[in-house]
Amino acid sequence: MIDTTEAFDAAEREMWDGRAEAYAGSFARLCAYPVPALLDAAGVTAGSHVLDVGTGTGTVAVAALERGARVAAVDAEADMVAAARGRGVDARVAVLPELPYADGEFDAVVANFVVNHVGRPRAALELRRVLRPGGRLAVTLWSARRGAGQELLGRAVQAAQAVPPAELPRLDPAEDFPRTPEGVAGLLTEAGFTGVRAAETAWDHRATRDEWWSGAAGGVATIGRVVTAQTPETIARIRHAYDRLAGELTDADGLLRLPHVAVLASGTA
């Protein structure tokens, strides 16, 4: 019998498989916002040897390369790795916590919105193994204090009375932790990192209605899995509710203003 953690990881793999193009055209710009602060927190400068874990389409890796760092990257999904390679990133397929690198190989490890996608978050923080003594880890994940932008698509699903599929990823409660600065800091401290710092970062993401909808319609992330599991009639109801609710977050220029809140945490190996 498959256990809760294995089921979570399997659902995550299925949910992201083949979604690189849909992600790049929708939610990737959102997730790029904290990248400069993430690299600063990890101490990434020219000459740093950096590992980008869960690179996705390579946004963090490319930003590190632009700083003059030497960068390796991994992702669990082959199409994400292909997308990152297409941007000049040395990327390969690997699944946390099994990383194909030697102990102490890197000066910095960064993981942008990755820890929330693994069934064993504490095991994932064995990223410490590949850091040299004194190396830095920096991670981001979505905060429990959700912004209105994070709620928009979910509100549309509820308004359309859509029923979420039963196979949505559900983390084992024994593996969970508070999605707050204190909770994430505790996770890093428990993993053996010192000098841990964690704080919220908030921003307003700007996007067109069609761009924001395209992520869900393309099956990206949990919301995408919920939307694409519905009948065409229900999807049409969700879109109608989305367009109505989006008016609350639309500026005079016609673009959505979508408040989001994340936690950025860092520590020293």
Side-chain angles (χ1 to χ4, degrees):
M1 179 181 295
I2 189 169
D3 68 19
T4 304
T5 295
E6 291 173 336
F8 182 92
D9 285 337
E12 284 282 345
R13 298 287 71 77
E14 181 183 347
M15 185 166 61
W16 288 97
D17 185 29
R19 300 293 195 276
E21 184 176 355
Y23 171 71
S26 57
F27 301 148
R29 283 200 310 108
L30 166 73
C31 295
Y33 180 88
V35 169
L38 180 76
L39 295 176
D40 288 345
V44 175
T45 58
S48 298
H49 194 194
V50 180
L51 176 63
D52 177 22
V53 177
T55 191
T57 54
T59 300
V60 178
V62 169
L65 287 168
E66 290 173 347
R67 292 190 178 199
R70 294 184 296 129
V71 182
V74 297
D75 199 279
E77 302 308 323
D79 64 321
M80 294 289 189
V81 168
R85 286 177 177 170
R87 301 175 70 183
V89 176
D90 175 16
R92 65 179 76 176
V93 175
V95 179
L96 284 170
E98 300 171 3
L99 296 174
Y101 301 103
D103 293 358
E105 186 168 344
F106 296 96
D107 302 312
V109 174
V110 289
N112 194 38
F113 301 110
V114 173
V115 175
N116 45 298
H117 291 296
V118 296
R120 289 191 171 90
R122 290 167 180 80
L125 289 177
E126 290 179 12
L127 294 167
R128 183 167 169 265
R129 177 187 67 78
V130 300
L131 277 167
R132 64 168 175 78
R136 297 280 297 170
L137 168 74
V139 304
T140 54
L141 67 159
W142 297 115
S143 174
R145 189 172 70 87
R146 295 170 64 85
Q150 287 161 281
E151 301 288 355
L152 174 58
L153 288 163
R155 288 176 63 203
V157 166
Q158 291 179 343
Q161 298 183 327
V163 179
E167 67 274 14
L168 285 178
R170 288 179 174 82
L171 193 66
D172 187 330
E175 293 286 348
D176 209 351
F177 59 95
R179 308 308 169 97
T180 62
E182 296 78 14
V184 183
L187 198 69
L188 267 63
T189 300
E190 183 182 334
F193 290 92
T194 61
V196 173
R197 296 181 179 180
E200 285 187 340
T201 180
W203 70 100
D204 289 345
H205 179 62
R206 307 298 308 286
T208 67
R209 290 191 187 188
D210 285 346
E211 176 189 346
W212 195 242
W213 170 256
S214 72
V220 179
T222 301
I223 188 64
R225 186 158 187 160
V226 171
V227 170
T228 56
Q230 309 301 319
T231 65
E233 293 77 14
T234 302
I235 293 173
R237 290 204 310 272
I238 297 171
R239 178 62 199 250
H240 179 75
Y242 165 78
D243 285 333
R244 175 175 56 80
L245 294 167
E248 302 171 5
L249 299 170
T250 301
D251 282 348
D253 61 4
L255 292 177
L256 294 170
R257 184 177 296 276
L258 302 164
H260 282 72
V261 186
V263 175
L264 169 59
S266 60
T268 301

